[in-house]
């Protein structure tokens, strides 16, 4: 097995690595003559190779010591691969139907070998741009979030075990600091990496930087992100981190994982669905105005939260007498107080999720990394109009989220800003 230090692999050197690594070569039946290796990484950070042979297949992901989309001028720790592999294994144990299996991890090489999600699996974001309906998406994503968040929280674990797990993930500090910068800081100040559809959104970007109430809200969210070790979160759960077919949903790329606020994952996913909603007018054609698809998207937003709420509370009820130390049964020992506890917890989680979702939306419009939902709209004026509506909604949501009591309230506000 290859070891002894890091070196970036290309298609040729990867073949030699696979041949010398039993856990990978065995997946190919030891047959290499017809092997096809293709680099497909289209993200911001890593190299990703699809390896396919007549007897098997897998994906290889290798972390680089810098941010790929910017270059060596922005260094980034390779250790993120360790946290990604560890999270894939843990989340896969908790929710095996929606996390691809890890076959191999090489810490020295910052390299992960995992299940290849073969076609027709595609990145969810691309499917949403194409206008494809995924009837099981809300069901599957609510299941993934409910199980991974509940079972890694103090609702299920002891404080001793929880603190040990938190300590292990404290090492992913560089990825956390990157999030702090690009989500909670850069969009609210002048930054060399910020960009937007200019000149159309120049005034809109300036308005974000001048909004004192928005700054107060994002400061509270940043504090929660940095200080609240609530559960093992994916840390980057947008629609580019999910692969789908009509009946399969797989969550990938948890390299930003750490013990943080649950609402960051929930908000990231819901916020990206709403970004997709606001982008749809830019993808409409004479034959398809996308109105029905926009209705499906809002139904998926609503369904995802409602199903998550139901499943999360059910897991909590099922484990009420377990070892979880957040709410000891000797104290919360009657149905009335138990109901009060759950209602308050879920209300807070709902508002946390809305706040983080708003922050994730704002950063995708006036920050460094944008989304293909908008970027693929060729007409700059049309793109800016879609982005402006999304931005205005996100600003309202961040500032007024505590007044919203249900996900249907959120959907109604989305519709108001879209009119």
């Amino acid at each position: 097995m290859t070891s002894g230090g890091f070196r970036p692999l290309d298609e040729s050197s990867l073949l030699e690595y696979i041949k010398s690594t039993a856990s990978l070569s065995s997946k190919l039946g030891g047959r290499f003559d017809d092997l096809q290796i293709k680099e497909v990484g289209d993200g911001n950070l890593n190299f990703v190779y699809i390896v396919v042979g007549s007897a098997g297949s897998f994906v290889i992901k290798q972390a680089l010591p810098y941010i790929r989309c910017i270059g060596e001028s922005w260094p980034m720790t390779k250790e993120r691969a360790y946290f990604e592999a560890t999270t894939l294994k843990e989340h896969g144990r908790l929710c095996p139907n929606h996390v691809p299996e890890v076959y191999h991890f090489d810490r020295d090489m910052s390299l992960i070998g995992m299940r290849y999600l073969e076609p027709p699996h595609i990145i969810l974001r691309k499917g949403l741009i194409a206008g494809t309906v995924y009837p099981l998406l809300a069901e599957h994503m609510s299941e993934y979030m409910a199980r991974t968040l509940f079972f890694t929280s103090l609702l299920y674990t002891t404080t001793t075990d929880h603190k040990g797990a938190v300590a292990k993930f404290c090492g992913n500090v560089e990825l956390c600091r990157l999030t702090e910068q690009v989500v909670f800081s850069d969009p609210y100040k002048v930054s060399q990496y910020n960009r937007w559809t200019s000149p159309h959104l120049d005034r809109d970007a300036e308005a974000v930087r001048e909004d004192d109430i928005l700054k107060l809200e994002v400061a509270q969210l940043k504090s929660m992100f940095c200080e609240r070790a609530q559960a093992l979160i994916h840390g980057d759960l947008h629609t580019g981190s999910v692969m789908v077919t009509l009946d399969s949903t797989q969550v990938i790329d948890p390299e930003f994982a750490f013990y943080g606020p649950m609402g960051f994952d929930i908000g990231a996913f819901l916020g990206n669905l709403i970004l997709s909603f606001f982008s749809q007018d830019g993808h409409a054609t004479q034959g398809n105005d996308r109105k029905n698809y926009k209705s499906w998207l809002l139904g998926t937003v609503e369904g995802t939260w409602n199903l998550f709420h139901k499943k999360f509370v059910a897991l909590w009820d099922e484990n009420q007498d377990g070892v979880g130390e957040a709410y000891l049964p000797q104290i919360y020992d009657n149905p009335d107080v138990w109901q009060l506890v759950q209602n308050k917890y879920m209300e807070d989680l709902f508002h946390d999720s809305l706040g983080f979702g708003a922050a994730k939306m704002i950063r995708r419009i006036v920050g460094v990394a944008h989304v293909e939902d908008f970027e693929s709209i060729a007409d700059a004026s049309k793109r800016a109009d879609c982005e402006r509506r999304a931005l205005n909604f996100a600003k309202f949501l961040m500032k007024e989220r505590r007044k919203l009591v249900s996900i249907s309230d959120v959907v109604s506000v989305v519709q108001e800003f879209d009119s």
Side-chain angles (χ1 to χ4, degrees):
M1 178 174 162
T2 304
S3 61
F6 175 85
R7 69 184 189 282
L9 297 177
D10 57 23
E11 294 177 5
S12 175
S13 56
L14 177 58
L15 176 59
E16 297 308 310
Y17 181 90
I18 293 168
K19 288 179 177 179
S20 66
T21 306
S23 57
L24 295 176
S25 59
S26 63
K27 291 292 179 183
L28 303 172
R31 299 169 62 181
F32 308 107
D33 292 343
D34 61 346
L35 206 61
Q36 295 183 344
I37 301 176
K38 183 180 180 181
E39 208 283 310
V40 297
D42 61 355
N44 296 321
L45 298 178
N46 310 290
F47 281 115
V48 180
Y49 297 92
I50 295 174
V51 181
V52 179
S54 58
S57 61
F58 48 78
V59 165
I60 295 293
K61 182 174 181 178
Q62 186 176 35
L64 300 171
Y66 53 85
I67 295 179
R68 180 180 179 180
C69 68
I70 293 178
E72 296 184 27
S73 64
W74 192 331
M76 183 56 56
T77 176
K78 306 186 308 301
E79 273 294 278
R80 63 186 186 270
Y82 163 76
F83 297 105
E84 176 170 3
T86 303
T87 303
L88 283 169
K89 292 175 183 177
E90 178 64 3
H91 282 183
R93 180 181 70 83
L94 297 171
C95 194
N97 291 335
H98 302 303
V99 180
E101 181 182 356
V102 173
Y103 301 146
H104 170 74
F105 175 59
D106 183 337
R107 193 165 185 174
D108 288 334
M109 289 288 287
S110 303
L111 183 148
I112 305 169
M114 69 188 86
R115 174 191 167 193
Y116 170 43
L117 299 170
E118 65 285 341
H121 280 96
I122 65 167
I123 294 294
L124 173 58
R125 191 184 303 283
K126 293 184 180 297
L128 300 180
I129 293 169
T132 304
V133 169
Y134 297 100
L136 297 176
L137 183 61
E139 179 70 38
H140 289 171
M141 287 304 298
S142 62
E143 180 80 4
Y144 167 81
M145 293 189 293
R147 294 188 65 83
T148 58
L149 297 177
F150 176 81
F151 286 115
T152 59
S153 76
L154 279 172
L155 299 176
Y156 182 77
T157 63
T158 67
T159 55
T160 300
D161 290 343
H162 188 74
K163 288 182 184 298
V166 170
K168 177 163 51 172
F169 276 85
C170 281
N172 206 14
V173 61
E174 280 197 40
L175 274 292
C176 289
R177 284 184 59 80
L178 178 59
T179 300
E180 293 160 25
Q181 177 180 343
V182 301
V183 176
F184 302 109
S185 298
D186 281 358
Y188 306 91
K189 65 185 182 72
V190 175
S191 170
Q192 63 174 316
Y193 296 114
N194 285 348
R195 61 187 182 88
W196 52 84
T197 303
S198 182
H200 308 75
L201 296 184
D202 288 358
R203 183 67 192 97
D204 301 83
E206 184 180 7
V208 169
R209 300 193 299 269
E210 293 177 349
D211 192 325
D212 292 343
I213 303 301
L214 201 65
K215 290 178 181 179
L216 286 174
E217 292 293 344
V218 82
Q220 292 179 29
L221 291 165
K222 181 178 180 180
S223 178
M224 192 186 309
F225 178 84
C226 296
E227 298 166 359
R228 190 167 193 191
Q230 199 172 21
L232 178 56
I233 66 173
H234 178 284
D236 199 28
L237 192 57
H238 53 74
T239 52
S241 296
V242 182
M243 295 194 71
V244 290
T245 67
L246 296 183
D247 57 9
S248 171
T249 306
Q250 302 289 321
V251 178
I252 60 173
D253 294 349
E255 61 196 328
F256 284 79
F258 77 113
Y259 272 76
M262 295 181 187
F264 192 75
D265 270 4
I266 302 165
F269 184 69
L270 296 181
N272 273 261
L273 289 181
I274 296 171
L275 285 175
S276 176
F277 170 88
F278 280 110
S279 77
Q280 292 300 317
D281 286 356
H283 300 292
T285 63
Q286 269 195 323
N288 183 359
D289 60 13
R290 297 283 182 118
K291 287 183 179 178
N292 289 338
Y293 195 66
K294 289 169 74 173
S295 295
W296 175 78
L297 279 167
L298 292 185
T300 302
V301 169
E302 194 163 357
T304 299
W305 170 260
N306 286 335
L307 286 167
F308 167 81
H309 187 291
K310 179 181 178 181
K311 294 173 183 182
F312 190 91
V313 171
L315 289 172
W316 194 351
D317 287 339
E318 291 167 13
N319 293 276
Q320 181 177 354
D321 297 320
V323 299
E325 294 187 339
Y327 298 97
L328 299 175
Q330 302 94 320
I331 300 173
Y332 306 94
D333 56 355
N334 69 73
D336 290 339
V337 72
W338 189 252
Q339 193 65 57
L340 286 171
V341 161
Q342 287 189 331
N343 288 348
K344 180 67 167 85
Y345 193 99
M346 298 308 292
E347 178 186 348
D348 289 346
L349 180 53
F350 177 63
H351 291 141
D352 292 349
S353 300
L354 298 184
F356 286 122
K360 296 285 274 185
M361 291 179 69
I362 291 169
R363 79 89 154 204
R364 292 295 191 179
I365 299 168
V366 296
V368 58
H370 290 209
V371 290
E372 189 180 352
D373 311 62
F374 291 129
E375 296 288 278
S376 58
I377 301 171
D379 185 319
S381 179
K382 185 179 293 186
R383 182 195 325 133
D385 182 60
C386 294
E387 290 174 320
R388 180 176 292 111
R389 280 180 279 146
L391 182 60
N392 287 339
F393 164 77
K395 289 163 60 179
F396 175 89
L397 185 65
M398 185 181 288
K399 293 187 283 190
E400 305 293 340
R401 66 188 185 279
R402 297 173 192 85
K403 297 177 182 177
L404 306 177
V405 299
S406 70
I407 193 67
S408 60
D409 289 345
V410 178
V411 167
S412 295
V413 175
V414 171
Q415 292 169 323
E416 288 175 16
F417 277 87
D418 191 49
S419 59

